[in-house]
């Protein structure tokens, strides 16, 4: 048997995605599953960060991953190497997931025995931010090579996220990336945004990020 399924998810027939997303959150609350929506531009490090996160949480949190892409199954293959349950979702060319597409993925993944499910959204800083997936929390990654001005150029994604992970801090010496400026610009968009600098390559900062994730999941999943 294959280690992971690949499924085509179809755009929702519901006119009101926000109402459907609220319904999905209630369904997940009842079965005590915490859904996290992870967004970033292509290549910022979502899959690499998830591999490190799975490793750090192994033994204490039951975690499953949904990898969404327009095509290919490279990310689900990479995650399945960790031993975590994973599924590849194909969006049929669309650069976002709505709540019902997310629900289709969750049903195929099987979530009742999982504490946390992470949706790795399609790599894009614009479209995914426009759709509520039904996730309990939204998290984005901005990587050092992309530059500290991105909160000025792509406001919505910074507004809808709870956490900003600044990834690839190991390459900071090679880029003119200003940590203070990125925090200032990001907080102009969203004063409540929590910021964690991390390196998915070296593991720096991963513990603080995983502590946040564990706490949020515990809060959601308790009776
Ligand atoms: N130096 C460095 N490289 C990293 C880090 N995290 C990821 N990378 C590299 O960045 C590239 C892209 O990483 P991925 O994890 O595939 O990024 P992604 O966001 O999942 O990409 P898509 O799914 O295509 O959108 C790979 O070559 C990774 O090895 C990091 O912390 N430091
Ligand atoms: Mg990826």
């Amino acid at each position: 048997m294959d280690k992971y399924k690949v499924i085509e998810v179809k755009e929702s027939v519901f006119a009101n995605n926000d109402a459907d997303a609220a319904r999905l959150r209630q369904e997940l609350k009842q079965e005590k599953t915490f859904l996290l929506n992870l967004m970033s531009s292509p290549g910022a490090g979502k899959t690499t960060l998830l591999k490190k996160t799975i490793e750090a949480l192994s033994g204490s949190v039951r975690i499953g991953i949904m990898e969404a892409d327009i095509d290919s199954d490279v990310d689900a293959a990479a995650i399945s190497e960790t031993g975590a349950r994973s599924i590849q979702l194909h969006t049929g060319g669309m650069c976002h997931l709505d709540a019902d597409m997310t629900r289709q993925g969750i049903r195929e993944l099987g979530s009742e025995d999982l504490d946390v499910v992470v949706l790795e959204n399609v790599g894009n800083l614009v479209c995914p931010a426009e759709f509520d997936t039904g996730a309990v929390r939204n998290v984005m990654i901005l990587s050092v090579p992309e530059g500290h001005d991105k909160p000025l150029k792509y406001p919505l994604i910074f507004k809808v996220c709870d956490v900003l992970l600044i990834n690839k801090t190991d390459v900071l010496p090679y880029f003119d990336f200003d940590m203070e400026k990125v925090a200032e610009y990001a907080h102009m968009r969203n004063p409540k945004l929590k910021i964690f600098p991390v390196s998915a390559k070296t593991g720096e900062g991963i513990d603080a990020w995983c502590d946040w994730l564990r706490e949020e999941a515990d809060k959601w999943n308790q009776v």
Side-chain angles (χ1 to χ4, degrees):
M1 203 181 96
D2 287 341
K3 287 193 193 145
Y4 54 88
K5 284 191 204 167
V6 179
I7 68 159
E8 307 290 325
V9 286
K10 302 275 184 288
E11 196 175 11
S12 173
V13 293
F14 296 105
N16 188 341
N17 183 63
D18 285 349
D20 193 30
R23 253 194 313 274
L24 177 56
R25 258 187 297 279
Q26 275 318 110
E27 291 160 20
L28 291 167
K29 180 81 185 162
Q30 275 174 9
E31 65 165 58
K32 297 191 177 130
T33 302
F34 178 86
L35 175 64
L36 185 97
N37 176 28
L38 180 61
M39 299 180 280
S40 81
S41 57
K46 298 180 291 302
T47 309
T48 312
L49 176 99
L50 286 175
K51 285 170 72 179
K52 270 279 188 291
T53 303
I54 292 164
E55 199 183 299
L57 297 178
S58 82
S60 62
V61 177
R62 298 168 299 171
I63 187 164
I65 310 287
M66 303 195 290
E67 290 292 343
D69 270 304
I70 287 170
D71 204 349
S72 102
D73 62 352
V74 292
D75 284 355
I79 295 295
S80 75
E81 281 169 18
T82 66
R85 193 183 307 167
S86 65
I87 188 168
Q88 183 74 52
L89 314 181
H90 285 167
T91 62
M94 304 223 296
C95 58
H96 71 269
L97 276 94
D98 62 27
D100 196 55
M101 292 161 90
T102 306
R103 185 188 281 108
Q104 291 164 44
I106 289 176
R107 286 207 180 122
E108 291 292 334
L109 180 74
S111 58
E112 281 188 8
D113 58 342
L114 296 176
D115 305 309
V116 172
V117 172
V118 182
L119 168 64
E120 178 182 332
N121 217 312
V122 181
N124 188 307
L125 283 182
V126 182
C127 315
E130 291 168 1
F131 291 83
D132 188 343
T133 58
V136 184
R137 293 283 178 264
N138 290 323
V139 172
M140 69 171 291
I141 301 179
L142 177 67
S143 64
V144 166
E146 292 170 80
H148 57 250
D149 57 356
K150 293 301 165 288
L152 302 177
K153 295 183 174 188
Y154 302 95
L156 185 62
I157 192 162
F158 291 86
K159 274 189 197 151
V160 301
C161 280
D162 302 285
V163 166
L164 166 62
L165 297 167
I166 312 263
N167 189 33
K168 310 196 185 180
T169 52
D170 56 291
V171 299
L172 271 170
Y174 310 104
F175 290 87
D176 297 326
F177 187 95
D178 189 323
M179 279 286 186
E180 281 177 20
K181 279 213 175 96
V182 79
E184 181 193 327
Y185 297 156
H187 286 140
M188 269 162 54
R189 299 305 187 195
N190 177 358
K192 289 188 186 154
L193 193 65
K194 282 190 192 310
I195 302 180
F196 296 104
V198 295
S199 167
K201 182 175 178 171
T202 66
E204 191 191 352
I206 296 294
D207 283 351
W209 147 246
C210 286
D211 286 348
W212 176 87
L213 176 55
R214 202 184 280 108
E215 272 170 35
E216 291 294 314
D218 283 351
K219 267 193 269 170
W220 179 257
N221 293 342
Q222 72 196 4
V223 192

